[in-house]
Amino acid sequence: MLLNSDHDHDVDLSAAILTIHKQYNSFSYKPQHSQWTILASFFLSRRRRPSQKDATISDDDNTLKVISLATGTKCLPASKLSPRGESVHDSHAEVLARRGALRWFLEEIIHVRTSDGSYSSRWIVEGQDGKYKMKEDVHLHLYVSTLPCGDASMRFLASIQDEGMAALKSTSTFPVLDPSAASRGRDDYSRLGVLRTKPGRADSPPTLCMSCSDKIARWNVLGIQGALGAQFLSPIYIDAVIIGEVPVDMQDVVREDCERAFWARLGEIEGLPEGYSIHRPQVHFTDIPFVHSRSALKSSSSCNESICWTSQSSSSFEVLINGLKRGVSPKHRYREQSRPRLCRLALMKLCTEVSGMGNTHQAEAYSQLKLSSKEYQDAKEKLSGNGRPFGGWIKTGMQWQAFNVDGEVLQMT
């Protein structure tokens, strides 16, 4: 059941969530030892024709397309990052699902371009500028089985913590930070509307990963296609976010927090390039339980592994642990067949396929490929440059982006 829904896109979101759960349950993999995890998925919907009003949503009737699905709660410590692009730094479910969605869009473009006119996408169309975009009647949705970490979840977490821990996390013992500075994890619950790093636990090693609330807000300005996808795709925005595990009596508070976290805290951003804007997705809640959620299992142990799936994947799904494919030995991690399909290097290689560059640009670094998306980089500067709404965004650093399409680290001048 979908709660508090005033959705106007004529799609049954509850049926969509059930379809996502059905896909997840079809996988042979399950978390070990009653460990909980978080499930996220991107899916496309389109308005039904009048004759379809009573139809059950499915991929077959062209009203729904689940394009990516992922689970995960972990990210790599700063000390474990790789300069060769073969590992996934952030394995939170929402982030993996976004990378999977990007892969789906790129593979859909390849399908269109290599079909000699025999394939017409039901979901995307080429624009006059040569970039692809979603068709006018198509909408993008993000489902998350629980509240995204970071700003959207602060008051909710405070409400369910024991009084001692909530008081400790909200005391004045934390240093006074500049309004644009990022807080570490869940430090100082009462500091709302600010950037936060992962992970939330204070006893975990520090990372350079921003919270999922922050990343969703960033997608609401820059689009989910990122700098790599911006070479081939116009900005792709989320129309609705559907969240699980929020009790009815907390939904008004959480909706306010989500709207603040996802877009309201950005204020007005002047000078964005044409096609970019602050997008304001609707926020919905679902009471459909996720079988491996923390509340369903009543477990305190989170799963160290993640699963990643895209609907056009040649393999059914991948399992990741510590940013790498499970079962790959350290000495084989750099082999092409051993790379996660969602790592930076794999997505860079996919971009070369889309553009037809093949082996002609092997000397070009990942960082240079991203910088070639000029309008995207301009929009990014308007969002996170000095003095901008996300000016305190913690950057990973170019030393982690100096690899080429073969995974070789280049000497950058």
Side-chain angles (χ1 to χ4, degrees):
M1 177 180 177
L2 196 74
L3 305 175
N4 294 352
S5 174
D6 55 358
H7 198 261
D8 60 3
H9 295 154
D10 198 23
V11 59
D12 185 343
L13 295 179
S14 293
I17 306 310
L18 290 173
T19 300
I20 292 165
H21 286 194
K22 181 179 179 181
Q23 180 63 52
Y24 172 80
N25 290 329
S26 72
F27 300 149
S28 57
Y29 170 84
K30 297 295 182 290
Q32 298 179 355
H33 310 302
S34 299
Q35 294 174 334
W36 63 270
T37 191
I38 294 171
L39 172 66
S41 173
F42 277 93
F43 64 96
L44 301 172
S45 72
R46 64 191 310 157
R47 291 187 179 91
R48 302 177 192 168
R49 296 185 296 274
S51 61
Q52 292 179 301
K53 285 291 185 180
D54 298 324
T56 300
I57 275 189
S58 72
D59 282 0
D60 296 333
D61 65 20
N62 299 335
T63 59
L64 170 73
K65 182 71 174 179
V66 179
I67 62 174
S68 69
L69 182 153
T71 65
T73 64
K74 306 298 182 182
C75 50
L76 292 181
S79 60
K80 299 293 185 181
L81 302 187
S82 170
R84 295 178 59 172
E86 87 289 354
S87 61
V88 178
H89 296 175
D90 188 338
S91 292
H92 278 226
E94 299 95 317
V95 175
L96 291 176
R98 199 282 304 182
R99 298 178 78 84
L102 169 59
R103 185 165 192 103
W104 181 88
F105 277 109
L106 294 176
E107 291 179 340
E108 184 76 348
I109 293 173
I110 291 175
H111 199 176
V112 171
R113 288 186 173 180
T114 59
S115 67
D116 296 324
S118 62
Y119 176 74
S120 177
S121 176
R122 299 161 179 163
W123 309 99
I124 62 172
V125 64
E126 189 173 6
Q128 293 183 347
D129 60 357
K131 294 185 178 182
Y132 289 81
K133 59 184 179 180
M134 292 191 301
K135 292 186 175 181
E136 288 187 3
D137 63 342
V138 173
H139 303 278
L140 178 68
H141 314 264
L142 168 62
Y143 161 71
V144 190
S145 61
T146 192
L147 267 170
C149 64
D151 192 49
S153 62
M154 286 299 98
R155 288 199 291 177
F156 177 74
L157 288 173
S159 74
I160 61 175
Q161 289 283 0
D162 63 81
E163 292 185 7
M165 180 59 69
L168 176 64
K169 285 290 187 180
S170 191
T171 63
S172 58
T173 60
F174 296 102
V176 177
L177 299 176
D178 181 273
S180 66
S183 281
R184 173 126 172 7
R186 300 172 191 160
D187 286 355
D188 196 350
Y189 279 121
S190 60
R191 191 171 183 246
L192 302 178
V194 299
L195 295 166
R196 292 181 177 275
T197 60
K198 295 171 180 168
R201 289 175 58 96
D203 57 354
S204 299
T207 77
L208 300 178
C209 297
M210 304 306 297
S211 75
C212 288
S213 291
D214 299 333
K215 292 192 174 182
I216 292 170
R218 179 165 159 151
W219 303 337
N220 286 334
V221 177
L222 304 181
I224 71 155
Q225 79 292 332
L228 293 185
Q231 300 173 81
F232 318 104
L233 293 156
S234 297
I236 298 175
Y237 292 117
I238 302 167
D239 286 295
V241 181
I242 305 99
I243 301 168
E245 293 194 317
V246 179
V248 174
D249 62 355
M250 283 292 295
Q251 287 179 10
D252 287 344
V253 169
V254 170
R255 185 187 301 278
E256 179 182 311
D257 288 345
C258 286
E259 290 176 350
R260 179 194 65 245
F262 297 162
W263 54 266
R265 58 176 164 156
L266 300 174
E268 298 295 330
I269 302 177
E270 302 292 337
L272 287 170
E274 184 177 356
Y276 290 85
S277 62
I278 299 178
H279 210 68
R280 298 168 174 82
Q282 298 178 19
V283 176
H284 303 287
F285 304 106
T286 178
D287 63 358
I288 299 173
F290 172 48
V291 65
H292 291 124
S293 71
R294 186 172 190 169
S295 61
L297 296 176
K298 302 187 186 309
S299 169
S300 60
S301 177
S302 60
C303 184
N304 289 324
E305 298 172 330
S306 300
I307 61 170
C308 311
W309 172 89
T310 59
S311 68
Q312 297 205 59
S313 174
S314 57
S315 57
S316 58
F317 63 92
E318 286 185 346
V319 181
L320 306 183
I321 183 166
N322 296 324
L324 298 170
K325 288 173 67 172
R326 186 179 65 178
V328 173
S329 66
K331 68 178 181 179
H332 292 154
R333 63 185 290 181
Y334 300 117
R335 294 181 176 181
E336 184 172 355
Q337 63 267 32
S338 300
R339 301 171 190 157
R341 289 167 54 83
L342 301 184
C343 71
R344 289 174 166 182
L345 184 53
L347 291 175
M348 181 185 183
K349 187 173 180 62
L350 184 59
C351 283
T352 67
E353 295 178 31
V354 177
S355 64
M357 289 188 295
N359 293 325
T360 60
H361 283 260
Q362 288 189 22
E364 187 172 32
Y366 176 84
S367 60
Q368 294 170 331
L369 198 59
K370 290 177 67 176
L371 291 173
S372 68
S373 299
K374 302 298 185 185
E375 291 181 342
Y376 180 92
Q377 295 299 335
D378 185 20
K380 180 180 173 183
E381 178 65 22
K382 296 293 191 299
L383 172 65
S384 54
N386 289 335
R388 297 294 183 169
F390 276 3
W393 192 279
I394 297 175
K395 298 174 176 61
T396 306
M398 287 299 181
Q399 69 269 34
W400 312 116
Q401 302 182 43
F403 55 87
N404 66 10
V405 75
D406 291 325
E408 300 166 340
V409 179
L410 306 177
Q411 291 296 115
M412 304 299 291
T413 58

Coordinates of all heavy atoms in Angstrom, one line a residue, residues 310-362:
T310 N 21.1 -4.7 -13.2 CA 20.4 -3.8 -14.2 C 19.7 -4.6 -15.2 O 20.1 -5.8 -15.4 CB 21.5 -2.9 -15.0 OG1 22.4 -3.8 -15.7 CG2 22.2 -2.0 -14.0
S311 N 18.6 -4.1 -15.7 CA 17.7 -4.9 -16.5 C 18.3 -5.4 -17.8 O 17.8 -6.3 -18.4 CB 16.4 -4.2 -16.7 OG 16.5 -3.1 -17.6
Q312 N 19.4 -4.7 -18.3 CA 20.0 -5.1 -19.5 C 21.3 -5.9 -19.3 O 22.0 -6.1 -20.2 CB 20.2 -3.9 -20.4 CG 18.9 -3.2 -20.9 CD 19.1 -2.4 -22.2 OE1 19.4 -3.0 -23.2 NE2 18.8 -1.1 -22.1
S313 N 21.5 -6.2 -18.0 CA 22.8 -6.9 -17.7 C 22.9 -8.2 -18.4 O 21.9 -9.0 -18.4 CB 22.9 -7.0 -16.2 OG 24.0 -7.8 -15.8
S314 N 24.1 -8.5 -18.9 CA 24.3 -9.9 -19.5 C 24.3 -11.0 -18.4 O 24.0 -12.1 -18.7 CB 25.6 -9.9 -20.3 OG 26.7 -9.5 -19.5
S315 N 24.7 -10.6 -17.2 CA 24.6 -11.5 -16.1 C 23.5 -11.2 -15.2 O 23.0 -10.0 -15.2 CB 26.0 -11.5 -15.3 OG 26.2 -10.2 -14.8
S316 N 23.0 -12.1 -14.4 CA 21.8 -11.8 -13.6 C 22.1 -10.7 -12.5 O 21.3 -9.8 -12.4 CB 21.4 -13.1 -12.9 OG 22.4 -13.6 -12.1
F317 N 23.2 -10.8 -11.8 CA 23.5 -9.8 -10.8 C 24.9 -10.1 -10.3 O 25.5 -11.1 -10.6 CB 22.5 -9.9 -9.6 CG 22.6 -11.1 -8.8 CD1 23.4 -11.3 -7.7 CD2 21.8 -12.2 -9.2 CE1 23.5 -12.4 -7.0 CE2 21.8 -13.4 -8.4 CZ 22.7 -13.5 -7.4
E318 N 25.5 -9.0 -9.7 CA 26.8 -9.2 -9.1 C 26.7 -9.0 -7.6 O 25.9 -8.2 -7.1 CB 27.8 -8.1 -9.7 CG 28.2 -8.4 -11.1 CD 29.3 -7.4 -11.6 OE1 29.4 -6.3 -10.9 OE2 29.9 -7.6 -12.6
V319 N 27.6 -9.6 -6.9 CA 27.7 -9.4 -5.4 C 29.1 -8.7 -5.2 O 30.1 -9.2 -5.7 CB 27.7 -10.8 -4.7 CG1 27.8 -10.5 -3.2 CG2 26.4 -11.5 -5.0
L320 N 29.0 -7.6 -4.5 CA 30.3 -6.9 -4.2 C 30.6 -7.0 -2.7 O 29.6 -7.0 -1.8 CB 30.1 -5.4 -4.5 CG 29.7 -5.1 -5.9 CD1 29.6 -3.5 -6.1 CD2 30.6 -5.7 -7.0
I321 N 31.8 -6.9 -2.3 CA 32.3 -6.8 -1.0 C 33.6 -6.0 -1.0 O 34.4 -6.2 -1.8 CB 32.5 -8.2 -0.3 CG1 32.8 -8.0 1.2 CG2 33.5 -9.0 -1.0 CD1 32.7 -9.3 2.0
N322 N 33.6 -5.0 -0.1 CA 34.8 -4.1 0.0 C 35.1 -3.5 -1.4 O 36.2 -3.3 -1.8 CB 36.0 -4.8 0.5 CG 35.9 -5.3 1.9 OD1 35.2 -4.6 2.7 ND2 36.4 -6.5 2.2
G323 N 34.0 -3.2 -2.1 CA 34.1 -2.5 -3.4 C 34.5 -3.3 -4.6 O 34.6 -2.8 -5.7
L324 N 34.7 -4.6 -4.4 CA 35.1 -5.5 -5.5 C 34.1 -6.7 -5.6 O 33.3 -7.0 -4.7 CB 36.5 -6.1 -5.2 CG 37.6 -5.0 -5.1 CD1 38.9 -5.7 -4.6 CD2 37.9 -4.4 -6.5
K325 N 34.2 -7.4 -6.7 CA 33.3 -8.6 -6.9 C 33.7 -9.6 -5.9 O 34.9 -9.9 -5.7 CB 33.4 -9.1 -8.3 CG 32.8 -8.2 -9.4 CD 33.1 -8.7 -10.8 CE 32.5 -10.0 -11.1 NZ 32.6 -10.3 -12.6
R326 N 32.7 -10.2 -5.3 CA 33.0 -11.3 -4.3 C 33.6 -12.5 -5.0 O 33.3 -12.9 -6.1 CB 31.7 -11.8 -3.7 CG 31.9 -12.8 -2.6 CD 30.6 -13.2 -1.9 NE 29.7 -13.9 -2.9 CZ 28.5 -14.4 -2.6 NH1 28.0 -14.2 -1.4 NH2 27.8 -15.0 -3.5
G327 N 34.7 -13.0 -4.4 CA 35.3 -14.2 -4.9 C 36.5 -13.9 -5.8 O 37.2 -14.8 -6.2
V328 N 36.8 -12.6 -6.1 CA 38.0 -12.3 -6.9 C 39.2 -12.1 -6.0 O 39.1 -11.3 -5.0 CB 37.7 -10.9 -7.7 CG1 39.0 -10.5 -8.4 CG2 36.6 -11.2 -8.7
S329 N 40.2 -12.8 -6.3 CA 41.4 -12.7 -5.4 C 42.2 -11.4 -5.7 O 42.0 -10.8 -6.8 CB 42.4 -13.9 -5.7 OG 42.9 -13.8 -7.1
P330 N 42.9 -10.9 -4.7 CA 43.6 -9.6 -4.9 C 44.5 -9.6 -6.2 O 44.6 -8.6 -6.8 CB 44.5 -9.5 -3.7 CG 43.7 -10.3 -2.6 CD 43.1 -11.5 -3.4
K331 N 45.1 -10.7 -6.6 CA 46.0 -10.6 -7.7 C 45.2 -10.6 -9.0 O 45.8 -10.3 -10.1 CB 47.0 -11.8 -7.7 CG 46.3 -13.2 -7.9 CD 47.3 -14.3 -8.0 CE 46.7 -15.7 -8.2 NZ 47.7 -16.7 -8.3
H332 N 43.9 -10.9 -9.0 CA 43.1 -10.9 -10.2 C 42.2 -9.7 -10.3 O 41.4 -9.5 -11.3 CB 42.3 -12.1 -10.3 CG 43.1 -13.4 -10.5 ND1 42.7 -14.6 -10.2 CD2 44.3 -13.5 -11.1 CE1 43.6 -15.5 -10.5 NE2 44.6 -14.9 -11.0
R333 N 42.2 -8.8 -9.3 CA 41.3 -7.7 -9.3 C 41.3 -6.7 -10.4 O 40.4 -6.0 -10.7 CB 41.4 -6.9 -8.0 CG 42.8 -6.2 -7.8 CD 42.9 -5.5 -6.5 NE 42.0 -4.4 -6.3 CZ 42.0 -3.6 -5.2 NH1 42.8 -3.9 -4.2 NH2 41.2 -2.6 -5.1
Y334 N 42.5 -6.7 -11.1 CA 42.7 -5.7 -12.2 C 42.3 -6.3 -13.6 O 42.3 -5.6 -14.6 CB 44.1 -5.2 -12.3 CG 44.5 -4.5 -11.0 CD1 45.5 -5.1 -10.2 CD2 43.9 -3.4 -10.5 CE1 45.9 -4.4 -9.0 CE2 44.2 -2.8 -9.4 CZ 45.2 -3.3 -8.6 OH 45.6 -2.7 -7.4
R335 N 42.0 -7.6 -13.6 CA 41.5 -8.2 -14.9 C 40.2 -7.6 -15.3 O 39.3 -7.3 -14.4 CB 41.4 -9.7 -14.7 CG 42.7 -10.4 -14.5 CD 42.5 -11.9 -14.4 NE 43.7 -12.7 -14.3 CZ 43.8 -14.0 -14.2 NH1 42.6 -14.7 -14.2 NH2 44.9 -14.6 -14.1
E336 N 40.0 -7.4 -16.6 CA 38.7 -6.8 -17.1 C 37.5 -7.6 -16.6 O 36.5 -7.1 -16.2 CB 38.7 -6.7 -18.6 CG 37.5 -6.0 -19.1 CD 37.6 -5.7 -20.6 OE1 38.7 -5.9 -21.2 OE2 36.6 -5.2 -21.2
Q337 N 37.6 -8.9 -16.7 CA 36.4 -9.8 -16.3 C 36.2 -9.8 -14.8 O 35.1 -10.3 -14.4 CB 36.6 -11.2 -16.8 CG 37.8 -11.9 -16.2 CD 39.0 -11.8 -17.1 OE1 39.2 -10.8 -17.7 NE2 39.9 -12.9 -17.1
S338 N 37.1 -9.3 -14.0 CA 37.0 -9.2 -12.6 C 36.4 -7.9 -12.1 O 36.1 -7.8 -10.9 CB 38.3 -9.5 -11.9 OG 38.9 -10.8 -12.3
R339 N 36.3 -6.9 -12.9 CA 35.9 -5.6 -12.4 C 34.3 -5.6 -12.2 O 33.6 -6.2 -13.0 CB 36.1 -4.6 -13.5 CG 37.6 -4.4 -13.9 CD 37.7 -3.5 -15.1 NE 39.0 -3.5 -15.7 CZ 39.3 -3.1 -16.9 NH1 38.3 -2.8 -17.7 NH2 40.5 -3.1 -17.4
P340 N 33.9 -4.9 -11.2 CA 32.5 -4.7 -11.0 C 31.9 -3.9 -12.2 O 32.6 -3.0 -12.7 CB 32.4 -3.9 -9.7 CG 33.7 -4.2 -9.0 CD 34.7 -4.4 -10.0
R341 N 30.7 -4.2 -12.6 CA 30.1 -3.5 -13.8 C 29.8 -2.0 -13.4 O 29.6 -1.3 -14.4 CB 28.9 -4.2 -14.2 CG 29.1 -5.6 -14.9 CD 27.9 -6.4 -15.0 NE 26.8 -5.7 -15.7 CZ 26.7 -5.5 -17.0 NH1 27.6 -6.1 -17.8 NH2 25.7 -4.9 -17.5
L342 N 29.8 -1.7 -12.2 CA 29.5 -0.3 -11.8 C 30.7 0.5 -11.3 O 30.5 1.6 -10.8 CB 28.4 -0.4 -10.7 CG 27.1 -1.1 -11.0 CD1 26.1 -0.9 -9.9 CD2 26.5 -0.5 -12.3
C343 N 31.9 -0.1 -11.4 CA 33.0 0.7 -11.0 C 33.3 1.8 -12.0 O 32.8 1.8 -13.2 CB 34.3 -0.2 -10.8 SG 34.9 -0.9 -12.4
R344 N 34.1 2.7 -11.6 CA 34.5 3.9 -12.5 C 35.1 3.4 -13.8 O 34.7 3.9 -14.9 CB 35.4 4.8 -11.8 CG 34.8 5.6 -10.7 CD 35.9 6.4 -10.0 NE 35.3 7.4 -9.1 CZ 36.0 8.3 -8.4 NH1 37.3 8.3 -8.4 NH2 35.4 9.2 -7.6
L345 N 36.0 2.4 -13.8 CA 36.7 2.0 -15.0 C 35.7 1.3 -15.9 O 35.7 1.5 -17.2 CB 37.8 1.0 -14.6 CG 38.7 0.5 -15.7 CD1 39.3 1.6 -16.5 CD2 39.8 -0.4 -15.1
A346 N 34.8 0.5 -15.4 CA 33.8 -0.2 -16.3 C 32.9 0.8 -16.9 O 32.5 0.7 -18.1 CB 33.0 -1.2 -15.5
L347 N 32.4 1.8 -16.2 CA 31.6 2.8 -16.8 C 32.3 3.7 -17.8 O 31.7 4.1 -18.8 CB 30.9 3.7 -15.7 CG 29.9 3.0 -14.8 CD1 29.4 3.9 -13.7 CD2 28.7 2.5 -15.6
M348 N 33.6 4.0 -17.5 CA 34.4 4.7 -18.5 C 34.5 3.9 -19.8 O 34.3 4.5 -20.9 CB 35.8 5.0 -17.9 CG 36.7 5.8 -18.9 SD 38.4 5.9 -18.2 CE 39.2 6.9 -19.5
K349 N 34.7 2.7 -19.7 CA 34.8 1.8 -20.9 C 33.5 1.8 -21.7 O 33.5 1.8 -22.9 CB 35.3 0.4 -20.5 CG 35.6 -0.5 -21.7 CD 36.1 -1.8 -21.2 CE 36.4 -2.7 -22.4 NZ 37.5 -2.1 -23.3
L350 N 32.4 1.7 -20.9 CA 31.1 1.8 -21.6 C 30.9 3.1 -22.3 O 30.3 3.1 -23.4 CB 30.0 1.5 -20.5 CG 28.6 1.4 -21.1 CD1 28.4 0.3 -22.0 CD2 27.6 1.3 -19.9
C351 N 31.3 4.2 -21.8 CA 31.2 5.5 -22.4 C 32.0 5.5 -23.7 O 31.6 6.1 -24.7 CB 31.7 6.6 -21.5 SG 30.5 7.0 -20.2
T352 N 33.2 4.8 -23.8 CA 33.9 4.8 -25.0 C 33.2 4.0 -26.1 O 33.3 4.3 -27.3 CB 35.3 4.2 -24.8 OG1 35.2 2.8 -24.4 CG2 36.1 5.0 -23.7
E353 N 32.4 3.0 -25.6 CA 31.6 2.2 -26.6 C 30.5 3.1 -27.1 O 30.2 3.0 -28.3 CB 31.1 1.0 -25.9 CG 32.1 0.0 -25.5 CD 31.5 -1.2 -24.8 OE1 30.3 -1.6 -25.1 OE2 32.1 -1.8 -23.9
V354 N 29.9 3.9 -26.3 CA 28.8 4.7 -26.7 C 29.2 5.7 -27.7 O 28.6 6.0 -28.8 CB 28.1 5.4 -25.5 CG1 27.0 6.4 -26.0 CG2 27.5 4.4 -24.6
S355 N 30.4 6.3 -27.5 CA 30.9 7.4 -28.3 C 31.6 6.8 -29.6 O 31.9 7.6 -30.5 CB 31.8 8.3 -27.6 OG 33.0 7.5 -27.1
G356 N 31.9 5.5 -29.6 CA 32.6 5.0 -30.7 C 34.1 5.2 -30.7 O 34.7 5.1 -31.7
M357 N 34.6 5.7 -29.5 CA 36.0 6.0 -29.4 C 36.9 4.7 -29.5 O 38.0 4.8 -29.9 CB 36.3 6.7 -28.1 CG 35.8 8.2 -28.1 SD 36.3 9.1 -26.7 CE 35.6 8.2 -25.3
G358 N 36.3 3.6 -29.1 CA 37.1 2.4 -29.1 C 38.4 2.5 -28.5 O 38.5 3.0 -27.3
N359 N 39.5 2.2 -29.1 CA 40.9 2.2 -28.6 C 41.6 3.5 -29.0 O 42.8 3.6 -28.8 CB 41.7 1.0 -29.0 CG 41.1 -0.3 -28.4 OD1 40.6 -0.3 -27.3 ND2 41.2 -1.3 -29.2
T360 N 40.9 4.5 -29.5 CA 41.7 5.7 -30.1 C 41.9 6.7 -29.0 O 42.7 7.6 -29.2 CB 40.8 6.3 -31.2 OG1 39.6 6.7 -30.6 CG2 40.6 5.3 -32.3
H361 N 41.4 6.5 -27.8 CA 41.6 7.6 -26.8 C 42.1 6.9 -25.5 O 41.7 7.3 -24.4 CB 40.3 8.3 -26.5 CG 39.9 9.3 -27.5 ND1 40.2 10.7 -27.4 CD2 39.4 9.2 -28.8 CE1 39.8 11.3 -28.5 NE2 39.3 10.4 -29.4
Q362 N 42.9 5.9 -25.6 CA 43.3 5.2 -24.4 C 44.1 6.1 -23.4 O 44.2 5.9 -22.2 CB 44.2 4.0 -24.8 CG 43.3 2.9 -25.4 CD 44.1 1.6 -25.5 OE1 45.1 1.4 -24.9 NE2 43.7 0.7 -26.4

